[in-house]
Amino acid sequence: MGQLAVPYFRPEIAEEEIQEVAAALRSGWLTTGPRTLRFEQEFAAAVGAAHAVAVNSCTAALHLAAEALGLKAGQGVLVPTMTFAATAEIVRYLGAVPILVDCDPVTANLSLADSKRKLSQLRVGDLPQSIPEDLPVVGMIPVHVGGLMMDIPQLQSFASQHGLWLVEDAAHAFPAAWRCGPGSPWQRCGEATAAVTCFSFYANKTITTGEGGMAVTADADLASRMRSMSLHGLSHNAWNRYSGTGSWDYRILAPGYKYNLTDVAAAIRLHQLTRADDIRHRREVIAMSYREAFAEVEEIEVPLVDKNRIHSWHLFPIRLQTERLSISRSAFVDELKNAGVGCSVHWRPLHLHPYYQETYGWRPEDFPIATALWEQLISLPIFSAMESDQVEHVMDTIKDLCARYGRAL
């Protein structure tokens, strides 16, 4: 098979970004410096946060957030099983235990009902034997799957009730927002929605630095700790030391990490930030086209639309109604690729990966919703640079496959 007619994603890089990167290269300052600082300031304003710390990935942002909040070995953190590796692995970096939680059947976001159930099971020793019943659970890391935000007051209330700190994995959720109901004010993701909110600027996100991330917070002390730990635990970064007004001296405050974002990467993002709402809107137009095209297709189910959410539309996952189809999900994916349509699957739940099965003893039946949902999911192409004929090709291909392989019940 040759090149895909419709790739799964393609980043939108305009001439402005190219010129900004060239300017950064010509400036002679390539690592963390003035462009990164400007990016932090402008991103904080864009999400309504007091502080922003730019880093080289969302994984780094999550790790720094958990470390700054004091996560230690021998503690537990509630983590959705329906997520990418990073959400749980940063808990393991610090020697702590991720307590996996099932997902909501409608949104695929973390289930608060199952979070409560898992805490109750922990207290009576009804979790896998490798998880001690006296394990202190200190935090939770929900994910806004695909860019659809959870109910923030419910999330904050649950965390407060159980004495947990709250860090958002918002890798999919920029720009995104929620409100209580029509007429209520919008609250942006990162606008005091958690102790720390962590964003991703990976290549397929709504805006990109190629690789990159951001941690935002209202807490100056958390921001200061994350900033220091993002660069070896130093008291000052290179820009502070080597700029005309900086001091050459520094102190090592803690054994930190090498997570800083470069000015070259920040240069890509500066102009994309000004177009973020337009980029999100173009993704939304594609999502609405998909929804309309598939409204009468009984073999698939499309994502939820909520009038009280501004959805980033990082993902457009369809759910195959497998009882209505004569082929498997794997065969359906192969047919899409044969037709020139790129796609992906988000995600194989963590409890179905060898590490979490072998280390903690999690079983498929511990997460019935995620286990069943995993067999249905296919993420379709959705990116701001998609041409109308590419959107049409995806829709026609899906409808043709459902017509060919559909079976009456």
Side-chain angles (χ1 to χ4, degrees):
M1 183 177 65
Q3 186 175 1
L4 292 171
V6 187
Y8 175 62
F9 75 91
R10 180 181 293 129
E12 180 179 313
I13 303 297
E15 185 60 29
E16 290 174 305
E17 284 95 280
I18 295 171
Q19 292 300 323
E20 192 69 46
V21 169
L25 294 173
R26 292 189 184 103
S27 76
W29 193 272
L30 307 185
T31 188
T32 305
R35 284 176 173 81
T36 303
L37 176 62
R38 178 183 157 197
F39 179 26
E40 289 177 335
Q41 293 169 340
E42 293 180 1
F43 190 84
V47 300
H51 308 280
V53 180
V55 288
N56 60 20
S57 68
C58 186
T59 307
L62 290 166
H63 186 193
L64 292 170
E67 194 280 338
L69 285 161
L71 181 62
K72 295 178 176 59
Q75 296 179 330
V77 179
L78 296 175
V79 173
T81 190
M82 187 61 79
T83 188
F84 183 60
T87 318
E89 72 189 13
I90 64 96
V91 175
R92 296 298 299 127
Y93 291 171
L94 295 164
V97 178
I99 306 296
L100 301 185
V101 177
D102 209 350
C103 62
D104 178 88
V106 177
T107 66
N109 285 330
L110 175 142
S111 166
L112 292 180
D114 193 56
S115 297
K116 183 177 181 179
R117 186 179 305 113
K118 289 296 194 299
L119 290 176
S120 297
Q121 290 175 321
L122 174 64
R123 286 192 291 270
V124 299
D126 199 25
L127 290 183
Q129 289 184 352
S130 61
I131 303 176
E133 60 187 82
D134 60 349
L135 179 76
V137 181
V138 297
M140 62 189 305
I141 310 177
V143 178
H144 302 304
V145 177
L148 180 71
M149 289 184 69
M150 294 181 64
D151 185 301
I152 297 303
Q154 285 187 7
L155 196 53
Q156 292 176 337
S157 175
F158 182 92
S160 177
Q161 179 184 352
H162 295 280
L164 310 176
W165 48 250
L166 181 62
V167 170
E168 288 173 293
D169 183 336
H172 295 180
F174 177 79
W178 91 285
R179 63 182 180 183
C180 292
S184 299
W186 289 103
Q187 183 179 16
R188 291 164 287 182
C189 188
E191 190 174 11
T193 44
V196 184
T197 301
C198 302
F199 296 92
S200 172
F201 309 131
Y202 183 64
N204 65 348
K205 298 303 190 291
T206 47
I207 59 174
T208 183
T209 55
E211 296 276 3
M214 189 78 77
V216 304
T217 181
D219 189 313
D221 290 337
L222 288 177
S224 178
R225 176 70 178 186
M226 290 188 292
R227 189 176 304 283
S228 173
M229 293 297 284
S230 73
L231 191 60
H232 302 298
L234 303 185
S235 55
H236 300 290
N237 64 24
W239 177 248
N240 295 133
R241 301 201 307 277
Y242 300 133
S243 63
T245 59
S247 169
W248 60 269
D249 199 9
Y250 65 90
R251 299 289 187 273
I252 296 173
L253 306 178
Y257 315 102
K258 187 68 170 69
Y259 282 163
N260 58 302
L261 186 72
T262 69
D263 260 28
V264 175
I268 302 173
R269 184 67 164 76
L270 286 171
H271 294 288
Q272 288 197 350
L273 188 56
T274 66
R275 306 197 308 274
D277 287 332
D278 177 61
I279 290 171
R280 189 208 68 82
H281 177 70
R282 279 183 276 144
R283 295 174 85 116
E284 183 175 64
V285 169
I286 297 165
M288 295 306 104
S289 296
Y290 282 162
R291 282 180 53 82
E292 182 178 356
F294 303 146
E296 305 300 324
V297 180
E298 296 181 342
E299 290 79 12
I300 64 173
E301 182 180 329
V302 296
L304 172 74
V305 169
D306 189 329
K307 63 184 178 183
N308 296 313
R309 300 291 187 277
I310 294 176
H311 200 313
S312 74
W313 292 111
H314 168 61
L315 299 178
F316 192 94
I318 60 172
R319 301 184 186 190
L320 299 185
Q321 304 302 291
T322 49
E323 73 281 2
R324 292 182 173 274
L325 289 164
S326 61
I327 60 171
S328 67
R329 191 262 306 274
S330 293
F332 200 100
V333 168
D334 289 341
E335 291 281 3
L336 283 173
K337 291 182 178 179
N338 290 336
V341 175
C343 60
S344 188
V345 174
H346 294 84
W347 299 271
R348 178 186 293 273
L350 295 180
H351 72 274
L352 296 180
H353 286 279
Y355 176 79
Y356 293 95
Q357 292 175 329
E358 295 166 8
T359 304
Y360 298 109
W362 291 116
R363 305 164 301 171
E365 54 267 35
D366 295 323
F367 311 91
I369 297 171
T371 300
L373 182 56
W374 147 249
E375 299 290 347
Q376 300 176 290
L377 291 171
I378 300 177
S379 291
L380 301 184
I382 183 167
F383 53 93
S384 58
M386 278 185 82
E387 302 289 345
S388 58
D389 60 333
Q390 292 178 314
V391 178
E392 290 289 339
H393 182 64
V394 174
M395 296 188 299
D396 290 344
T397 301
I398 294 288
K399 288 190 285 187
D400 177 65
L401 289 176
C402 289
R404 276 197 285 146
Y405 296 107
R407 60 185 179 191
L409 294 182

